Amino acid sequence: MNKEFDINFAREKDLNDPISKFRNEFNIPRFKDQEAVYFTGNSLGLQPKNYNQYLEQELLDWKSMAVEGHFHAKTPWFDYHKTLTKDVAYIVGAKEKEVVTMNALSVNLHLLLTSFYQPTHKKYKILCEPNLFPSDLYILHSQIELRGFDIKDSIVFAPIDSNGIVNEEALLDTIKANQEELAMIFIGGVNYYTGQVFDMEKITKMGHLYNIIVGFDLAHAVGNINLKLHDWGVDFAAWCSYKYLNSGPGNVSSIFIHENQIKKKPFRLSGWWGHQSDNRFALQKEHKPIHTAEGWQLSNAPIFGMSIYRVSLQFFTQIGFEKLIVKRIQLSRYLESAIHLFNSESNHIKLNIITPGTADKRGAQLSVHISDSGKEIYNSLKKSGVYVDWRDPNVMRISPVPLYNSFEDVAKFYHILHAFNK
Ligand SMILES: *Cc1c(COP(=O)(O)O)cnc(C)c1O
């Protein structure tokens, strides 16, 4: 037996990990009489044990004061979204006026594209990666049709290799080659399928060189990699809060709009919550928007969901990205060695990692192609208390999350896989 994946050796690594205690802050799903190996935090983050820290109060305030809660709740609901702003700005590297929390992700992407996709007859195309998230492609298609353009002629795909990885030099060349026609670049900052991390700063600079708006879907990036959206000059971005941010299923999304774009006062779809707050309830005839990202709000805030997002964001400000990233790199390397060892011992099953190998090109997720009977492996893992996820035709996504996964989780994963060889 290889010592590196001995359970006691892994536990020793956990003891030396300065943030290992945060695992105790989360409810880990159970399998038989043990904790399951949960490697799907990229899809749905775990529940913080203190999810109730604010929720209970909001329910009590609703119970005892009902409508008065808008102004007199312990945290008045009228401006509840503001309780999130500072932490949200921190996790994406934004100024506070550049972010707001509202709606769900796909809805927000439509709102942002309504403002920032402004095609002309000459400049109307959108560049994206060919394996972008299905919802994102539907969003792009419907926005293109809404503006009266033809989807067949309006999307430029970045070139990918046979594993679905985008060569970034080729991506930049594609921008250059299509500069006259591109109105927008829209990419998942971390690709949901391959786990590839894009150089958002470089892409943004290149886009701006040719007067192209640059936006990112950060669903798989936020809480996973260190983002500096303001400094990078990104025009807009949006993300959900229930993947690496652990706020609960279907919970609210946040958006980023660079202050340079806010200043230009682009067209936006308007609702009462984006109206200047001092006379928001006066119900005037003319919409006077707040001159920050808050001006993009439409509806009053979903308080209960937001109250959990408040809790889950605290971990990131408490720990800080530097520590999370150190652990993320160690944990994914450990998983990578486990997979390599498994492959070297296995005669028939091979897990071929497609996610790029360098730490700046990947986050917590490793995607693997499985050469042979992959779906069976996935099903067997599931039956053994391992949560990973399967994407047809042959990709398994495995995401050890630094906030709550342990080195022991990875060692257990190795032993369960190893047993399939017998
Ligand atoms: C998870 C995810 C979504 C989900 O969108 P919802 O509107 O929250 O359902 C969209 N885009 C990407 C890239 C995602 O990873």
Side-chain angles (χ1 to χ4, degrees), residues 8 20 22 35-36 72 75 120 149 152 207 228 365 394 401:
N8 287 322
S20 61
F22 285 93
E35 284 173 337
H72 301 294
T75 307
T120 63
F149 289 85
K152 284 196 231 66
K228 298 277 171 229
Q365 170 185 329
N394 57 358
V401 172

Side-chain angles (χ1 to χ4, degrees), residues 43-326:
S43 189
L44 185 71
L46 292 180
Q47 183 184 71
K49 283 183 184 162
N50 64 339
Y51 70 89
N52 219 354
Q53 188 181 344
Y54 304 113
L55 177 60
E56 185 72 24
Q57 183 69 46
E58 306 317 334
L59 289 165
L60 280 174
D61 287 348
W62 177 32
K63 181 178 175 185
S64 64
M65 60 179 91
V67 73
E68 292 294 316
H70 285 299
F71 294 104
H72 301 294
K74 189 166 178 217
T75 307
W77 303 329
F78 183 75
D79 270 337
Y80 202 84
H81 61 278
K82 286 186 193 288
T83 60
L84 296 158
T85 304
K86 193 162 173 262
D87 291 354
V88 165
Y90 169 74
I91 55 168
V92 294
K95 294 189 175 181
E96 291 189 24
K97 65 173 158 189
E98 294 173 322
V99 295
V100 69
T101 299
M102 58 186 198
N103 313 318
L105 175 55
S106 299
V107 174
N108 282 341
L109 289 173
H110 271 299
L111 296 180
L112 289 165
L113 283 163
T114 300
S115 290
F116 298 111
Y117 176 51
Q118 295 297 350
T120 63
H121 272 298
K122 197 151 174 260
K123 214 167 166 62
Y124 59 94
K125 296 189 180 178
I126 302 176
L127 181 137
C128 61
E129 72 278 38
N131 48 5
L132 80 174
F133 196 81
S135 191
D136 295 24
L137 189 62
Y138 306 149
I139 290 163
L140 296 186
H141 280 171
S142 56
Q143 284 283 338
I144 288 165
E145 286 182 331
L146 179 68
R147 312 308 170 91
F149 289 85
D150 181 354
I151 56 174
K152 284 196 231 66
D153 164 53
S154 304
I155 293 202
V156 177
F157 287 120
I160 49 171
D161 68 14
S162 57
N163 285 333
I165 303 298
V166 175
N167 175 320
E168 285 197 278
E169 286 309 313
L171 168 72
L172 297 176
D173 289 343
T174 307
I175 297 172
K176 209 167 173 180
N178 292 275
Q179 53 176 282
E180 300 285 329
E181 283 114 45
L182 282 175
M184 174 175 286
I185 297 166
F186 180 75
I187 290 178
V190 175
N191 184 269
Y192 84 103
Y193 188 79
T194 63
Q196 177 179 14
V197 174
F198 287 91
D199 187 334
M200 290 177 246
E201 184 175 20
K202 222 183 214 173
I203 292 170
T204 302
K205 296 231 152 84
M206 187 76 159
H208 287 176
L209 203 60
Y210 303 117
N211 200 20
I212 302 166
I213 286 275
V214 184
F216 294 99
D217 182 334
L218 300 177
H220 281 264
V222 72
N224 180 19
I225 64 169
N226 204 354
L227 298 162
K228 298 277 171 229
L229 297 184
H230 176 85
D231 291 348
W232 295 343
V234 169
D235 293 308
F236 72 89
W239 55 95
C240 52
S241 60
Y242 51 79
K243 292 176 177 166
Y244 293 101
L245 298 182
N246 314 306
S247 78
N251 207 349
V252 283
S253 157
S254 305
I255 64 164
F256 164 89
I257 302 172
H258 201 282
E259 65 178 346
N260 296 342
Q261 291 299 337
I262 295 173
K263 276 187 204 142
K264 290 184 194 161
K265 302 189 177 167
F267 174 81
R268 82 194 82 190
L269 292 175
S270 303
W272 70 328
W273 232 250
H275 189 280
Q276 287 172 11
S277 61
D278 51 355
N279 53 4
R280 181 183 287 154
F281 283 175
L283 304 179
Q284 296 169 334
K285 294 279 183 279
E286 189 195 342
H287 187 266
K288 297 207 181 78
I290 305 169
H291 295 303
T292 68
E294 289 186 5
W296 268 259
Q297 293 174 110
L298 298 180
S299 297
N300 75 96
I303 302 298
F304 305 142
M306 283 187 176
S307 77
I308 303 179
Y309 194 11
R310 267 174 97 182
V311 173
S312 55
L313 280 170
Q314 292 169 1
F315 296 108
F316 294 88
T317 50
Q318 257 182 57
I319 302 171
F321 266 101
E322 288 69 23
K323 281 193 191 142
L324 276 170
I325 284 169
V326 168

